[in-house]
């Protein structure tokens, strides 16, 4: 009934020309989930099948033919990969599921990162022939940061190399979570015959043209597999959930045939929410849409509703609107729009909002519901909704939004909402950079505007001007990222920009602790003002980019004026942005203020800023600064008839460290290695050539390491020769 009402309201609104409708399930009937996986595991195909099963689509699209709903960019359809996250809503059994299809390529990890921040649960898709892969690990770490419960779908079980048990083992070994199969493949004569739902006691036979889930008869061949799977599920739950263990032993005396389905489902939900275990389904989204239908039921029954995840916010702010802006885009018709998760209260079109992060008033706003790239106007949004907001001209990704009376210009300090602070969205640092120039001088300003828009949309893209050459520098996450930015400039803005050679973004780190004093003076209107700053510069591993100036003043010394402190921070920050070796940013450094002496109270913040900048610049020359380079983890799968020695030789030649070689006596061998990002250029082509196109290469960033002394000297001498 809910699905029919949903579709009728949307159709009536569109026919009326207003494109406006309103249907709100209660918050406990909403699920906000993300579909995440390694590239080519089948996320987008799965999303297409779920939309079809829910009735949102009359016909299923296909990635290869470029007809999917969530891959709507031309470049996505041409390449067959997801680049931007896409939001769709679908009805299922009186519930609304807000689903975000995310990219799988490592270059677009920020899309996954900011979506994970606003979701309540994940559906993790694995390739049945590969199990947990590099990007799966990355996504899992992001989910762990926000303690998101997860479900797993082992997809592509119809592939000849698919192995359900091996994939289960990879979940437990690589992700450290107990895997509890709830939908298992049914094999006959070592070939896939169908799937068995252990909760519902049903089977889907792939030979059945109707593709219906049927009850399993006790006298059938499938019943033995069902009984064995149900027993393993109950035993696994007993290890993961103490309540079920007691119930299983006391009430059912360990007899798996008597265990009630509701008791199993309740225990599975507790295990999922506590992250002590995760339910695992199997299927083949491309071959059989019905095979992934249990995923919809598992989402409803095992993953939390927004009412379970918004309790802390509601205690502080009550029923007043609060939300988090997690993505910005530019629509050709509507201009700048922001994707927002509503954490509490109700948001109405036409109202004003307070950006708590930036201290800015925004609005009036318009509201839309997103169905991939289609936007439908709505009047209100409530707790748990994910909506698109127009009218947020000053806000950026990661900003917290709060309801504000339109008469007020600012949020009073005594307002309870003033204490609301959402965790922001971590923005990864780029690892590649290149110069970018307009095709001609007439389009310079157009290119600047386009790059500014793309930078606002994509937090992993950085645009800056080189102080020495005056060139515009574009910093990205990888080679594919560069190609996509260039493609979007050409298709979206009509700008065929020229790109310089791709270069690696190194970092500089200090090795020793140094205390340094810098003195500076300035004459204004015949009066001389002076400032003397003493700073301690020391290495501090793991802090990343410098953010905070520590005060380590002698006892009894008053802290500097707020404007002087701001000047000190700006001076330190600007100096650390360009290290002494190759002008790369200085990371993993701690800076403490030991003393600040000025010639009088009228000294401005600019003089203090200049003194701090000079102090850092001079101090870094004494700190034993070294270069560090981005390091990647590589996983290479080779068929058994492909000689691995030639591939290993190629990796070693590229300064790779071989960590592991396994499976040489089986159907395929796997090579794990770490190597510098600077050695990746042309690697995929070389590996394809050596393996006759049969190898599978997966790469992900794992951090930074000190550059070899010889390589460091080569880079420094190279820069000196260019000057």
């Amino acid at each position: 009934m809910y699905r029919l009402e949903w579709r009728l309201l949307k159709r009536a609104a569109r026919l009326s020309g207003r494109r406006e409708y309103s249907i709100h399930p209660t918050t406990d009937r909403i699920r906000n989930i993300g579909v995440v996986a390694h590239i080519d595991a089948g996320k987008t195909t799965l999303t297409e099948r779920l939309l079809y099963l829910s009735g949102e689509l009359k016909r299923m699209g296909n990635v290869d033919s470029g007809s999917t709903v969530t891959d709507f960019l031309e470049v996505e359809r041409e390449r067959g990969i997801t680049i931007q996250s896409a939001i769709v809503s679908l009805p299922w059994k009186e519930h609304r599921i807000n689903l975000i299809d995310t990219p799988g390529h490592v270059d677009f990890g920020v899309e996954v990162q900011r979506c994970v921040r606003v979701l309540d649960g994940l559906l993790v898709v694995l390739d049945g022939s590969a199990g947990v892969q590099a990007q799966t690990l990355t996504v899992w770490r992001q989910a762990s940061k926000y303690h998101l419960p997860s479900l797993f779908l082992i997809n592509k079980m119809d592939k000849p190399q698919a192995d359900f048990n091996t994939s289960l083992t990879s979940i437990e070994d690589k992700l450290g979570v107990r895997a509890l199969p709830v939908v298992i493949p049914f094999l006959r004569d070592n070939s896939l015959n169908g799937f068995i739902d252990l909760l519902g006691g049903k089977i889907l036979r792939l030979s059945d043209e109707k593709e219906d889930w049927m009850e399993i008869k006790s006298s059938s061949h499938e019943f033995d597999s069902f009984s064995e799977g149900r027993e393993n599920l109950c035993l696994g739950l007993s290890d993961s959930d103490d309540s079920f263990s007691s119930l299983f032993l006391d009430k059912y005396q360990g007899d798996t045939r008597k265990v009630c389905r509701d008791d199993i489902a309740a225990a599975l939900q507790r295990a999922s929410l506590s992250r002590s275990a995760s339910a695992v389904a199997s299927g083949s989204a491309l071959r059989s849409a019905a095979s992934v239908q249990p995923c919809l039921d598992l989402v409803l029954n095992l993953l939390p509703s927004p009412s379970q995840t918004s309790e802390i916010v509601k205690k502080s702010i009550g029923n007043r609107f609060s939300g988090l802006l997690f993505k910005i885009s530019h629509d050709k018709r509507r201009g700048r729009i922001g994707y927002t998760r509503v954490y509490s209260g109700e948001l109405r079109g036409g109202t004003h909002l307070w950006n708590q992060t930036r201290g800015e008033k925004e609005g009036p706003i318009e509201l839309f519901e997103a169905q991939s790239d289609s936007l439908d106007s709505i009047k209100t949004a409530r707790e748990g909704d994910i909506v698109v907001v127009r009218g947020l001209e000053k806000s950026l990704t990661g900003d917290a939004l709060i309801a504000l009376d339109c008469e007020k210009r600012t949020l009073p300090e005594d307002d309870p909402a003033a204490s609301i602070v959402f965790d922001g969205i971590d923005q990864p640092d780029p690892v590649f950079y290149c110069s970018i120039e307009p095709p001609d001088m007439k389009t310079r300003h157009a290119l600047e505007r386009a790059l500014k828009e793309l930078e606002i949309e994509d937090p992993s893209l950085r645009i800056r001007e080189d102080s020495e050459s005056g060139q515009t520098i574009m910093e990205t996450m990888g080679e594919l990222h560069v190609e996509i930015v260039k493609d979007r400039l050409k298709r979206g803005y009509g700008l065929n920009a020229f790109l310089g050679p791709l270069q690696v973004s190194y970092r500089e780190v200090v090795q020793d602790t140094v205390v340094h004093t810098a003195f500076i003076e300035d004459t204004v209107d015949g009066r001389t003002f002076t400032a003397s700053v003493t700073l301690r510069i020391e290495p501090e591993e793991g802090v990343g980019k410098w953010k905070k100036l520590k005060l380590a003043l002698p006892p009894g010394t008053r802290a500097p004026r707020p404007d002087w402190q701001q000047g000190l921070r700006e001076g330190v920050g600007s100096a650390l942005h360009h290290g002494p070796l190759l002008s790369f940013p200085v990371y993993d450094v701690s800076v403490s203020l030991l003393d600040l002496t000025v010639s009088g109270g009228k000294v401005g913040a600019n003089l203090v800023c200049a003194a701090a900048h000079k102090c850092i610049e001079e101090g870094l020359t004494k700190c034993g600064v070294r270069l560090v380079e981005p390091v990647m983890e590589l996983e290479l799968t080779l068929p058994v008839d492909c000689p691995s020695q030639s591939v290993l030789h190629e990796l070693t030649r590229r300064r790779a460290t071989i960590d592991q070689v396994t499976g040489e006596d089986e159907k395929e061998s796997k090579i794990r290695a770490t190597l510098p990002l600077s050695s990746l250029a042309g690697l995929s082509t070389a590996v394809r050539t050596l393996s006759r196109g049969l190898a599978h290469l997966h790469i992900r960033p794992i951090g930074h390491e000190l550059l070899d002394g010889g390589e460091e000297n080569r880079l420094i001498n190279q820069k000196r020769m260019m000057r």
Side-chain angles (χ1 to χ4, degrees), residues 158 214 374 559 683 715:
D158 55 326
M214 309 294 292
S374 174
L683 176 62
L715 290 173

Side-chain angles (χ1 to χ4, degrees), residues 413-425:
E413 293 183 3
D414 59 349
D415 192 313
S419 62
I420 291 292
V421 178
F422 289 114
D423 286 340
I425 297 171

Side-chain angles (χ1 to χ4, degrees), residues 31-52:
R31 299 291 184 273
N32 292 319
I33 68 164
V35 181
V36 298
H38 189 88
I39 191 170
D40 289 335
K43 300 181 309 303
T44 301
T45 300
L46 170 65
T47 301
E48 201 77 10
R49 299 321 184 241
L50 298 182
L51 286 168
Y52 173 76

Side-chain angles (χ1 to χ4, degrees), residues 165-202:
N165 291 326
T166 300
S167 296
L168 285 178
T169 302
S170 73
I171 293 174
E172 297 189 337
D173 292 347
K174 296 181 179 180
L175 303 183
V177 61
R178 182 68 181 265
L180 301 176
V182 294
V183 180
I184 61 174
F186 175 60
L187 305 176
R188 295 193 68 174
D189 300 325
N190 293 323
S191 63
L192 183 66
N193 191 259
F195 298 94
I196 295 175
D197 182 353
L198 299 178
L199 282 177
K202 296 182 178 182

Side-chain angles (χ1 to χ4, degrees), residues 224-258:
D224 291 339
S225 296
F226 167 72
S227 299
E228 182 182 355
R230 192 75 172 262
E231 181 178 357
N232 291 334
L233 176 59
C234 290
L235 293 175
L237 275 173
S238 297
D239 293 336
S240 305
D241 186 80
D242 292 338
S243 297
F244 181 81
S245 179
S246 301
L247 188 71
F248 183 51
L249 294 175
D250 298 340
K251 181 179 178 180
Y252 298 111
Q253 285 82 48
D255 190 344
T256 56
R257 295 170 298 178
K258 298 179 181 179

Side-chain angles (χ1 to χ4, degrees), residues 475-486:
E475 299 179 338
T476 69
M477 299 304 297
E479 294 177 275
L480 180 59
H481 195 187
V482 172
E483 293 176 18
I484 296 304
V485 171
K486 184 175 182 179

Side-chain angles (χ1 to χ4, degrees), residues 434-445:
C434 65
S435 61
I436 180 168
E437 300 292 342
D440 52 61
M441 294 305 295
K442 295 179 182 178
T443 56
R444 174 173 291 277
H445 294 300

Side-chain angles (χ1 to χ4, degrees), residues 451-475:
L451 289 174
K452 186 175 182 181
E453 283 191 4
L454 293 179
E455 189 179 21
I456 289 172
E457 290 185 13
D458 183 357
S460 64
L461 174 68
R462 309 278 173 83
I463 307 297
R464 61 179 174 86
E465 184 174 316
D466 187 272
S467 57
E468 294 184 5
S469 65
Q471 288 182 310
T472 300
I473 303 298
M474 181 173 71
E475 299 179 338

